[in-house]
């Protein structure tokens, strides 16, 4: 009895599959090796022809190629994620040009200083340090006196409220001498340090220090001239305008 | 404006050009950090630090074609520094898929939003099933679009290794996608 024939299109793949099963095994693994290059279009023509031939008969490999093509299209869309509205402002805040110029200078002292000054609390810290310095200075004894400058000044204000401004000049001059003496001592120490270790940092520090001393001196002179100018009218109550106001 | 002109303006210190530059690249830099770190807050910090470093080097920016690999390298190095500081690499991408999709890509067509979000959710789910090594290859090559040469340089591996790793990662991801039952 003759068995009914399978349609040719169905019979041949079955035959191919059974032959492959008895020889090399299915070619799917080899197709997977070439799949990415096939999707990227970088496969040599001969390999491409063979791959297309396999795909025509293998649903599993066609699915893999479809998935790879989909990924090729979709994955680049995941690259950019919105970081939120505040992000740009944060970056611009951290890259303000004047501040970063000193970063760029390569000077460790300057860039360190810039970093310090960028901190938002720096004003608070400066005020704290200034207050601390003021308190320490007020506790220093005046030359020729065992009492701290602060208490001398406070008692003057308490006992002679009207004339304390002119009297304040006396301890201030005393303090000026004290500051001057300590400055001289500091500068001597600096000179010793400079001669013993003449590095670039020392040189820079010395220059910075001299600038600071110069500024401090001019500020001190200004304060003294103001104190002297302000003291005059308070001691000669408004009979005639003072020379400074003419 | 041509990208080369924009880069030149950034190098000259033009604040408007810098703002434009940040806007252009922030999504990609943040995206890379986000995919590495899995936490939006850490990713923002890393992305911001990346831009600060770019700004410090604005006078010697690479040319346009080499710009993206250069920026992504900075961002990746910062991510790795963070991992080192944490002493251990956390389970990357171990974040709710929905959380990733809550951050839509910029300039999204509103009509496509839902459909794209669903697709992204499926993709992220498949990505999370990959090994760390394969996921990084997908992130650098297929998501961020770096060349195999750039990736080989970045990961300090031979070009052939980069290529075979990339192919393996893509095939693994394709099979994970198929394993979800339907193509996204
Ligand atoms: Zn096959």
């Amino acid at each position: 009895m003759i068995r009914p024939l399978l349609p040719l299109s169905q019979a041949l793949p079955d035959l191919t599959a059974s032959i492959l099963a008895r020889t090399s095994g299915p070619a799917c693994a080899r197709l997977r090796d070439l799949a990415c290059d096939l999707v990227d279009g970088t496969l040599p023509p001969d390999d491409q022809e063979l791959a297309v031939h396999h795909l025509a008969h293998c649903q599993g490999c066609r699915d893999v190629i479809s998935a790879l093509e989909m990924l090729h299209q979709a994955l680049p869309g995941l690259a950019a994620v919105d970081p939120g509205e505040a992000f740009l402002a944060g970056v611009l805040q951290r890259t303000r040009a004047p501040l970063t110029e000193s970063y760029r200078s390569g000077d460790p002292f300057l860039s360190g200083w810039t970093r310090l000054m960028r901190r938002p609390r720096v004003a608070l810290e400066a005020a704290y340090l200034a207050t601390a310095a003021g308190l320490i200075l007020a506790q220093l004894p005046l030359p020729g006196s065992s009492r701290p400058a602060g208490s001398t000044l406070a008692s003057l204000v308490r006992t002679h409220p009207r004339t304390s401004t002119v009297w304040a000049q006396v301890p201030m001059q005393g303090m000026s001498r004290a500051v001057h003496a300590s400055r001289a001592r500091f500068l001597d120490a600096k000179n010793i340090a400079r001669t013993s270790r003449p590095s670039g940092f020392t040189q820079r520090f010395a220059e910075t220090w001299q600038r600071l001393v110069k500024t401090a001196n001019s500020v001190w002179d200004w304060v003294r001239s103001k104190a002297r100018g302000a003291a005059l009218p308070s001691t000669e109550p408004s009979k005639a305008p003072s020379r400074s106001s003419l | 404006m041509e990208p080369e002109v924009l880069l030149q303006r950034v190098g000259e210190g033009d604040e408007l050009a810098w703002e434009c530059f940040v806007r252009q690249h922030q999504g990609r830099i943040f995206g890379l950090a986000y995919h590495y770190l899995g936490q939006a807050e850490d990713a923002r910090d890393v992305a911001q630090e990346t831009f600060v470093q770019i700004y410090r080097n604005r006078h010697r920016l690479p040319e346009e074609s080499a710009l993206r690999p250069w920026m992504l390298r900075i961002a990746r190095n910062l991510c790795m520094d963070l991992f080192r500081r944490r002493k251990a690499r956390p389970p990357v991408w171990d974040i709710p898929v929905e959380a990733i999709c809550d951050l839509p890509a910029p300039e999204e067509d509103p009509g496509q939003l839902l459909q794209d979000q669903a697709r992204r959710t499926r993709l992220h789910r498949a990505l999370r099933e990959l090994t760390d090594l394969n996921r990084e290859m997908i992130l650098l090559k297929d998501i961020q679009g770096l060349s195999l040469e750039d990736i080989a340089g970045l990961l300090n591996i031979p070009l052939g290794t980069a290529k075979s790793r990339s192919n393996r990662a893509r095939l693994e991801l394709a099979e994970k996608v198929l394993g979800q039952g339907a193509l996204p």
Side-chain angles (χ1 to χ4, degrees):
Chain A
M1 184 178 158
I2 299 171
R3 282 165 50 183
L5 286 173
L6 285 169
L8 194 61
S9 61
Q10 194 179 335
L12 282 181
D14 283 349
L15 181 64
T16 307
S18 63
I19 291 172
L20 289 178
R22 292 182 62 190
T23 55
S24 66
C28 296
R30 171 75 180 135
L31 188 281
R32 306 287 160 103
D33 288 343
L34 306 178
C36 291
D37 283 329
L38 182 66
V39 170
D40 295 345
T42 53
L43 207 58
D46 288 347
D47 285 334
Q48 187 172 341
E49 190 183 328
L50 293 174
V52 169
H53 188 78
H54 174 84
L55 288 173
H57 302 282
C58 182
Q59 181 62 46
C61 287
R62 277 204 300 276
D63 288 344
V64 169
I65 294 293
S66 298
L68 283 171
E69 281 171 343
M70 180 281 299
L71 292 173
H72 191 66
Q73 297 287 321
L75 286 174
L78 304 183
V81 181
D82 186 0
E85 276 302 305
F87 182 82
L88 177 70
V91 171
L92 296 181
Q93 160 85 13
R94 287 193 61 191
T95 55
R96 280 173 304 178
L99 295 173
T100 45
E101 284 306 317
S102 45
Y103 268 131
R104 212 165 47 76
S105 70
D107 186 319
F109 177 77
L110 266 182
S111 57
W113 178 252
T114 309
R115 268 191 215 103
L116 178 71
M117 296 308 286
R118 279 178 61 158
R119 300 174 58 217
R121 284 182 302 170
V122 77
L124 206 63
E125 286 161 353
Y128 175 81
L129 284 176
T131 309
L135 286 173
I136 290 167
L137 277 177
Q139 291 305 311
L140 284 178
L142 293 171
S145 160
S146 58
R147 299 179 65 196
S151 67
T152 310
L153 210 61
S155 65
L156 267 172
V157 171
R158 207 166 39 243
T159 53
H160 303 87
R162 285 196 61 200
T163 55
S164 58
T165 41
V166 68
W167 279 102
Q169 282 186 87
V170 178
M172 278 167 90
Q173 280 163 4
M175 279 181 79
S176 162
R177 278 198 298 276
V179 169
H180 193 78
S182 64
R183 197 184 76 199
R185 280 198 298 278
F186 205 120
L187 282 175
D188 281 344
K190 275 282 325 129
N191 286 337
I192 292 163
R194 184 161 44 194
T195 48
S196 62
R197 201 161 55 86
S199 65
F201 175 76
T202 313
Q203 173 106 20
R204 229 170 23 247
F205 183 78
E207 284 164 13
T208 311
W209 175 254
Q210 272 165 11
R211 275 202 299 276
L212 267 174
V213 167
K214 205 170 155 190
T215 312
N217 279 339
S218 57
V219 168
W220 179 247
D221 290 339
W222 180 80
V223 167
R224 251 196 331 197
S225 69
K226 282 284 169 191
R228 196 175 294 134
L232 287 173
S234 71
T235 49
E236 295 170 10
S238 68
K239 286 286 187 315
S242 68
R243 287 176 64 84
S244 61
S245 65
L246 287 174
Chain B
M1 182 183 282
E2 291 295 316
E4 292 83 5
V5 180
L6 183 68
L7 282 187
Q8 191 190 333
R9 292 270 192 105
V10 168
E12 288 163 1
D14 184 331
E15 288 88 351
L16 285 174
W18 173 241
E19 182 183 336
C20 181
F21 179 90
V22 176
R23 272 190 209 285
Q24 273 184 11
H25 298 285
Q26 62 179 13
R28 192 172 279 276
I29 299 291
F30 176 69
L32 183 92
Y34 194 40
H35 285 144
Y36 264 118
L37 301 170
Q39 289 177 4
E41 217 35 61
D42 284 348
R44 265 188 213 102
D45 288 347
V46 161
Q48 206 174 77
E49 185 58 32
T50 304
F51 279 107
V52 171
Q53 291 199 12
I54 292 169
Y55 190 76
R56 279 183 209 159
N57 289 287
R58 68 191 185 282
H59 302 281
R60 42 179 182 273
L61 292 176
E63 58 188 33
E64 168 64 15
S65 60
L67 184 70
R68 189 191 291 180
W70 180 73
M71 292 193 301
L72 293 179
R73 175 189 285 266
I74 294 175
R76 181 185 178 273
N77 287 346
L78 287 168
C79 289
M80 296 301 131
D81 287 347
L82 194 64
F83 287 141
R84 270 193 287 275
R85 279 206 299 280
R86 287 174 176 171
K87 305 283 185 200
R89 197 164 165 151
V92 186
W93 295 66
D94 194 14
I95 39 181
V97 168
E98 294 71 24
I100 300 172
C101 299
D102 282 343
L103 290 165
E107 294 157 21
E108 187 117 38
D109 173 11
Q112 286 281 307
L113 196 66
L114 276 179
Q115 194 183 335
D116 286 355
Q117 276 209 352
R119 189 178 64 177
R120 270 205 297 272
T121 303
R122 285 194 292 270
L123 274 179
H124 278 294
R125 198 164 285 146
L127 278 163
R128 278 168 55 175
E129 293 176 18
L130 297 184
T131 61
D132 282 351
L133 211 61
N134 283 350
R135 198 163 44 232
E136 183 170 43
M137 285 305 299
I138 296 287
L139 174 58
L140 294 175
K141 178 163 184 302
D142 301 278
I143 296 181
Q144 293 293 343
L146 291 185
S147 71
L148 286 170
E149 287 81 2
D150 287 329
I151 294 171
L154 189 63
L155 303 182
N156 202 19
I157 53 175
L159 182 59
T161 308
K163 182 166 174 54
S164 59
R165 262 192 211 171
S166 166
N167 285 354
R168 211 177 312 136
R170 288 168 73 184
L171 278 172
E172 191 189 339
L173 184 61
E175 276 157 10
K176 299 286 183 202
V177 165
L178 289 173
Q180 289 178 356
L183 288 179

